[in-house]
Amino acid sequence: MDATTVGREFQKPNFHFDWTEYIVFSLVLITSLAIGIYYGFFEKNNKTNEDFLMGGRSMSVAPVAISLICSLVSAITLLGKPVEIYFYGIQPTLIVLVLIPITLILMYILVPIFFRLQLTSAYEYFEWRFSRRIRVIVSIFALIHSIIYTSTCVYGPSLAVEQLSGINTMVSCGAIFIVCIIYSSLGGFKAVLWSDFLQGVVMMVSLSAIIVVGTWEVGGIPYIWNLATKTDRTNLFIMDTDFRSRYTFWTSIVGGFFTWLPTFTTQSQIQRYNAVPTLRESRLTLFFNTCGMILIMLLCSWIGLILFANYYNCDPVTTKTITSSDQLLPLFAIEVLGRYPGLPGLLLAGLTCGSLSFEYFKFHSSYHHRRFRQVLQARLV
């Protein structure tokens, strides 16, 4: 029996957001705005271009490491990863292993180059190494990618927000974009790093709350794991050489490596590598980023097994209770977490944080300043 088996008619619980949920959700947006306003109007050491774009290259390891995590984990990850585990088992979790060699390559080969050049923009390198025309072409393609991907990363979670709270999708999309634009434009790099710190903590707390309460409500760790094992969802090492298979050891390791490596060398990541004072601290941010990424992937995978155990005999997608598999986690929050005041709001806040932090990187990574290119060229002459 698999997750698509219909064993009983599913009745959607009667749940409505109350003031507790709205307070939890609103606090995240208000605090993010407050951080942007503080760094925009009251922080004295945020006046120069380097302060605004790079945080003065004097940031500490903790906020930069969490900011790196937020730049790689969007709300789509929080919604989509558990669903993949729900339908296909824990094989996709194996991709976390590729983060180890990728981190070593970055720490000892790539990041020292970025750090020595003191790049402000990844596109500066293209102009220095090739020509201004190449820089413009790459920048245009990057902007097109950002426009398409950021729209997806906001719209998808907004559908979940509508299911959880009843807030119109267009309203939630607009709110996320407006808040992100205001606090990143006013406060610059420092504001976003500390906003990411807050949002990263909220994401971790929301995931942890889902796991603790969900595991307890569904039946405990032994029940969840035994059910997953019985249905052959705990096989990590599927050695099938047919690359048409959705998940195998080879697609997870080989495909995962070449998918993730370019992600760690984009404009937003290079900004963060160079935002700390020393190369040693830059390497430390990478180390803690990798630990955080592995933890989040493991948490999302366990949430997928929780969803599978809860809906083992009544798949909501098959019964048309939900219109999209992306709504599976919000439905679980309504049905199970809804009995605990504040928890659905916490999940909604976590998803919103995933959207906010990810959108910032696309906005801020589009900033360029010619002065920094001239400084780079002067240093390399």
Side-chain angles (χ1 to χ4, degrees):
M1 184 179 298
D2 59 27
T4 59
T5 302
V6 181
R8 60 180 172 83
E9 184 179 358
F10 182 85
Q11 296 295 328
K12 184 176 179 178
N14 185 20
F15 172 80
H16 299 283
F17 257 39
D18 58 21
W19 62 271
T20 308
E21 323 302 330
Y22 283 112
I23 287 177
V24 173
F25 173 59
S26 300
L27 277 176
V28 174
L29 297 179
I30 293 172
T31 307
S32 297
L33 278 175
I35 292 173
I37 291 172
Y38 170 77
Y39 278 100
F41 294 103
F42 302 103
E43 172 59 40
K44 295 180 180 179
N45 297 322
N46 198 34
K47 303 301 181 183
T48 68
N49 290 320
E50 186 153 324
D51 288 332
F52 187 83
L53 293 173
M54 301 297 296
R57 303 184 192 271
S58 60
M59 302 302 297
S60 56
V61 170
V64 177
I66 292 180
S67 187
L68 275 172
I69 295 172
C70 292
S71 71
L72 297 165
V73 176
S74 69
I76 290 180
T77 305
L78 304 182
L79 287 172
K81 184 73 172 181
V83 172
E84 288 293 295
I85 304 300
Y86 173 82
F87 282 112
Y88 305 106
I90 65 173
Q91 174 66 45
T93 309
L94 201 63
I95 198 173
V96 300
L97 295 181
V98 307
L99 294 176
I100 298 173
I102 286 175
T103 300
L104 293 175
I105 291 172
L106 288 166
M107 290 174 71
Y108 295 104
I109 299 177
L110 299 179
V111 168
I113 296 174
F114 300 146
F115 200 86
R116 179 174 60 86
L117 295 176
Q118 290 290 284
L119 296 176
T120 300
S121 164
Y123 312 115
E124 285 179 309
Y125 179 81
F126 287 101
E127 182 173 357
W128 169 73
R129 177 65 178 80
F130 300 103
S131 67
R132 183 172 180 82
R133 178 177 297 179
I134 296 298
R135 174 179 178 170
V136 171
I137 293 173
V138 173
S139 299
I140 290 172
F141 278 110
L143 286 172
I144 293 172
H145 172 266
S146 295
I147 291 171
I148 296 173
Y149 196 40
T150 52
S151 301
T152 305
C153 288
V154 171
Y155 183 72
S158 294
L159 294 175
V161 169
E162 183 176 36
Q163 184 186 16
L164 269 174
S165 64
I167 300 175
N168 183 270
T169 301
M170 294 298 105
V171 173
S172 59
C173 283
I176 290 172
F177 276 119
I178 289 172
V179 170
C180 185
I181 291 171
I182 290 175
Y183 80 72
S184 62
S185 299
L186 289 178
F189 193 76
K190 290 181 180 179
V192 173
L193 282 187
W194 287 110
S195 294
D196 283 343
F197 186 87
L198 164 71
Q199 292 158 11
V201 170
V202 172
M203 282 193 287
M204 291 300 298
V205 171
S206 63
L207 289 176
S208 301
I210 294 170
I211 286 175
V212 172
V213 177
T215 300
W216 175 266
E217 290 286 340
V218 170
I221 295 175
Y223 171 76
I224 294 171
W225 185 256
N226 290 336
L227 184 59
T229 302
K230 185 177 71 173
T231 54
D232 198 28
R233 276 175 163 74
T234 58
N235 185 5
L236 277 173
F237 299 98
I238 301 174
M239 309 304 291
D240 186 2
T241 56
D242 186 352
F243 285 91
R244 294 173 299 178
S245 300
R246 188 179 184 93
Y247 292 110
T248 67
F249 175 86
W250 310 109
T251 57
S252 296
I253 297 299
V254 180
F257 179 85
F258 289 104
T259 299
W260 277 96
L261 183 59
T263 306
F264 281 88
T265 55
T266 62
Q267 161 62 18
S268 57
Q269 272 66 46
I270 291 175
Q271 271 185 298
R272 275 129 205 94
Y273 302 150
N274 288 339
V276 292
T278 66
L279 178 59
R280 178 180 177 274
E281 289 174 293
S282 186
R283 286 169 171 165
L284 277 176
T285 62
L286 272 168
F287 172 77
F288 290 119
N289 167 71
T290 300
C291 294
M293 288 287 296
I294 291 174
L295 178 60
I296 288 178
M297 292 299 180
L298 293 177
L299 292 178
C300 287
S301 296
W302 184 252
I303 291 174
L305 293 182
I306 292 174
L307 295 176
F308 175 75
N310 189 69
Y311 297 117
Y312 175 58
N313 289 320
C314 54
D315 176 42
V317 178
T318 303
T319 59
K320 307 299 182 183
T321 303
I322 54 179
T323 58
S324 170
S325 59
D326 291 337
Q327 297 175 324
L328 195 60
L329 182 56
L331 179 66
F332 179 77
I334 292 173
E335 182 192 24
V336 178
L337 304 185
R339 297 193 288 270
Y340 299 86
L343 285 186
L346 184 62
L347 172 62
L348 181 58
L351 295 174
T352 304
C353 285
S355 293
L356 280 173
S357 58
F358 193 82
E359 294 317 297
Y360 158 72
F361 290 109
K362 296 303 181 182
F363 288 132
H364 200 267
S365 62
S366 300
Y367 296 159
H368 304 285
H369 199 279
R370 186 175 181 83
R371 170 178 172 271
F372 288 101
R373 180 177 63 86
Q374 295 169 343
V375 170
L376 172 64
Q377 290 176 334
R379 287 176 180 172
L380 296 173
V381 171

